[in-house]
Amino acid sequence: MAAPPAQFAQWSTPAPSADTSHDEVRTIFVLGFPPDVKERELQNLLRWWPGYEASQMNFKGDQPMGFALFSTSAMAMAARDALQNLVFDSETNSVLRAEMAKKNLYVKRGGSEPATYDPSKRMRTAGDYTAPQYAAPSAFVPPAAPTWGPQSYIPPSAPYDPYGGYSVAQVPPVAPAGYAPVQNTKDNPPCNTLFIGNLGEATSEAELRGLFSSQPGFRQMKVLRQGKSTVCFTEFGDVSSAMAVHQNLQGAVLTTSDRGGMRIQYPLNPYGRKREGTGSGPQQSDSLVAVTQLNQGKLETPPPPSASVAELNGTSEVPSAAVLSSTPVIKTEQPQAV
DNA sequence: AGCACA
């Protein structure tokens, strides 16, 4: 009788410090939520993000503080960057500020939660939400390498960017065939969206997309055909990017254009923003829209008082420094996550 | 000149 193989004994021994890679900070700290935000909103905001494991909303007085734990530090940083300057609620001018937390969110082990804690402090993990129907709808991921825990998110094989619905489309880039002078018509105040007119009847959406999607800050566009007239709306991530394209591609001639250069104007309504009701007067809505647009533009670089702004004809006042500085000031001091 | 979507 031989003694049992020695390696059997190893089966019960824990791996030697296999989780040292988890002492890195992989938790983000998010400020800027409106006071009435619910913890569930943070969960629903983040549960799609690759590597999301758990989140928690704490309240310091009226100031909500969100914490979210991710599988790796890199995933946390990616989520942090995705949330950075996100307009969480344009009604309340809530713009998120995200940074890496000082320490990791403590996640209670074990599946069932006692539910006896303060509901505002209770932890919820992604376990209940990562339903199979959401995992890789187009690409089947073989279960060869099982992931651990109830919070495993399996990203599709193609890069999945939950907040990248505005990502650059895969179309061949298009450069203007030339430029033609465009008579400077009355324009609207600068915003993050452009209205493109004077397009040729044969101009295709693919051609327009090839031109605009390669412009810095491009988010999305929509082409409208109405008879012989084609117009296009193009949204950018910030007002400055839109202003640059407004300037640089003004009068651009496409190969399919048969009526000179395109006319680029700021639209009556920016993307995703309905005009205020006619009841309260235009001047109030103008300033309101300006603030909202600037918030949409993330205020990374406030548009300088350049020539493009000077084209405004005095139809609307240029956003003042007071407006520019009216972004929500958020304290960056950071309490402990737990 | 033609301004949608929410």
Side-chain angles (χ1 to χ4, degrees), chain A residues 185-197 232-234 236 238-248 250 263-270 293 303 306-309 311-312:
Chain A
T185 52
K186 224 174 125 136
D187 207 340
N188 296 294
C191 65
N192 72 336
T193 308
L194 297 177
F195 172 85
I196 320 294
C232 169
F233 293 89
T234 306
F236 295 86
D238 55 87
V239 182
S240 298
S241 298
M243 290 175 70
V245 173
H246 183 281
Q247 174 79 18
N248 296 332
Q250 190 66 262
R263 171 169 28 253
I264 303 184
Q265 299 171 282
Y266 299 105
L268 301 172
N269 304 315
Q293 289 162 353
S306 65
S308 301
V309 175
E311 292 173 4
L312 283 180

Side-chain angles (χ1 to χ4, degrees), chain A residues 114-133:
Chain A
T116 53
Y117 299 123
D118 175 3
S120 68
K121 297 269 164 81
R122 183 155 29 118
M123 175 81 52
R124 296 196 182 98
T125 67
D128 297 328
Y129 301 108
T130 47
Q133 64 265 26

Side-chain angles (χ1 to χ4, degrees), chain A residues 221-271:
Chain A
M221 53 167 283
K222 172 167 298 195
V223 175
L224 252 80
R225 285 183 185 285
Q226 27 201 13
K228 50 201 312 185
S229 173
T230 296
V231 296
C232 169
F233 293 89
T234 306
E235 188 199 27
F236 295 86
D238 55 87
V239 182
S240 298
S241 298
M243 290 175 70
V245 173
H246 183 281
Q247 174 79 18
N248 296 332
L249 290 183
Q250 190 66 262
V253 179
L254 295 171
T255 54
T256 56
S257 178
D258 53 354
R259 54 229 276 179
M262 61 179 62
R263 171 169 28 253
I264 303 184
Q265 299 171 282
Y266 299 105
L268 301 172
N269 304 315
Y271 237 109

